[in-house]
Amino acid sequence: VFVFAMWEEAEPVIAHLGLIRRPDSLAGLPARLFSLPDESSSRTDVHVAWNGHNARFHGNNVGTTPAAVTTYAVIQLLKPDLVISAGTAGGFQAAGSGTIADVYLSSKCVFHARRIPAAESGAGSAGSGLQQLEESGFAHIRSPPLARLAQRIGAKIGVVSTSDSLDCSSEDLALLRSEGAAVKEMEAASCAWVCQQSETPFFAMKAITDVVDGAHATQQEFYANLSFAAVALKRAVVALIECLAERPFFEWVGLPVGKL
Ligand code: ADE
C-alpha cells in the first residue's frame, strides 16, 4: 500500500496503474482508497491510499494526523505486506540532497519538531527516563536495508525527517542537521510509527521539490516543481512494483520472513 497526502502526487500513480476507487473502504475518514480492478493481471497486489480532501479548508489533508489514521485504517482493512509513505519533500544542499526530482528511500524516519528536552544534569540527564522521553520524541524508526532496491530503481537513500510544518525554523534546521537528514517532509515518521506498532514493514519514498537551505522561498519552489517531481516519483513507484513482482520484499532486503 502506498499512502499519499496530496492528490497531485497520487494521481499519476493511480492513472498509470489503472487503479479504481473503492467507495466504501475507509468509513469515517476523508481518505480514499484505490485498488487494482478485479480483472487485473498484475502479479503484485497494489493499493493507493490518499489522505483525502479537507472539507473545511479545502486542499489536501497533509501532515501527521491524517497520515497516521489513514495508515492505521489501511493496515486494519488490508493487512498489507508493505506500507510506503510516498510523496514529495524538501532536500538540503548541505547534505547533497538538493537536486529537484531525485527520489529518496528512507534509511530511517525521525521527527525533528517533537522537542521534549531533558535537563542538562540531575534528574533529566543521560540514562534517565527524561532522556528516554526526549529520544522518544524524535522516534528514530529504522527502515529495512534498501540499498539493492534503491540501486535497481535509481533512487538514493537518506534520513527522512518529519514535522507538521512546511517552513523550517532555526531549531528545526539545527535538529535536521544533527540527525543528518537528507529529506524534510510532513508524514513519513508518523506512518512509520503506526506501522511499527503492528510490525508492518515500512519505508518512505520521496521526490525532491525544493531545497530547504537553497536560494528560493520554499512554497513557490515547491509548487513550481510539484508536477515534475510527481512524475519522477511515479516512475520510481512503477519500477518498485516491477521489482516486487520479480521477488518478494523480504528477499530484496535480505532478511528472513518475519524479521523486518
Ligand atoms: N514537502 C515538499 N517540500 C517540503 C518541505 N520543504 N518541508 C516539508 N514538506 C515538504
Side-chain angles (χ1 to χ4, degrees):
V1 178
F2 294 87
V3 181
F4 288 89
M6 296 186 71
W7 180 247
E8 294 84 344
E9 300 161 342
E11 192 276 336
V13 174
I14 292 168
H16 183 95
L17 299 175
L19 305 184
I20 52 170
R21 165 98 192 271
R22 291 166 56 147
D24 56 342
S25 45
L26 299 172
L29 292 179
R32 301 280 178 259
L33 185 61
F34 299 82
S35 303
L36 287 166
D38 291 340
E39 64 275 17
S40 167
S41 57
S42 170
R43 289 170 57 203
T44 314
D45 194 13
V46 183
H47 306 266
V48 163
W50 163 54
N51 290 339
H53 184 248
N54 185 322
R56 241 184 109 203
F57 296 106
H58 308 292
N60 295 283
N61 284 313
V62 298
T64 58
T65 304
V69 293
T70 301
T71 302
Y72 179 76
V74 293
I75 289 174
Q76 294 307 305
L77 183 73
L78 301 170
K79 308 270 182 292
D81 298 326
L82 175 63
V83 172
I84 295 166
S85 168
T88 54
F92 296 87
Q93 227 159 44
S97 59
T99 304
I100 302 301
D102 269 4
V103 175
Y104 278 80
L105 308 185
S106 53
S107 54
K108 74 169 178 173
C109 295
V110 299
F111 291 103
H112 58 265
R114 298 203 317 185
R115 294 182 289 273
I116 315 168
E120 290 288 313
S121 61
S125 61
S128 75
L130 287 178
Q131 186 85 34
Q132 295 278 63
L133 189 58
E134 179 167 26
E135 285 304 297
S136 78
F138 303 130
H140 301 290
I141 301 174
R142 287 176 66 88
S143 303
L146 298 167
R148 286 163 68 203
L149 265 179
Q151 195 187 16
R152 262 294 287 277
I153 70 171
K156 297 177 175 172
I157 291 189
V159 175
V160 173
S161 193
T162 302
S163 77
D164 273 302
S165 302
L166 181 67
D167 70 1
C168 189
S169 72
S170 50
E171 279 117 318
D172 289 345
L173 191 57
L175 272 163
L176 284 155
R177 286 195 172 136
S178 71
E179 286 300 333
V183 173
K184 172 180 177 289
E185 53 76 82
M186 298 174 68
E187 289 87 18
S190 192
C191 301
W193 185 87
V194 175
C195 288
Q196 192 176 49
Q197 306 316 302
S198 58
E199 298 184 0
T200 304
F202 170 86
F203 64 89
M205 186 172 191
K206 304 280 163 169
I208 303 299
T209 46
D210 53 272
V211 186
V212 177
D213 53 354
H216 305 289
T218 297
Q219 210 171 6
Q220 279 89 328
E221 196 178 19
F222 169 66
Y223 282 110
N225 293 321
L226 178 57
S227 59
F228 177 49
V231 169
L233 180 66
K234 178 206 67 180
R235 280 202 203 101
V237 166
V238 171
L240 177 74
I241 292 167
E242 281 165 11
C243 289
L244 296 178
E246 237 174 69
R247 47 195 153 122
F249 182 62
F250 68 85
E251 283 188 22
W252 282 102
V253 299
L255 293 174
V257 190
K259 292 285 179 202
L260 294 168

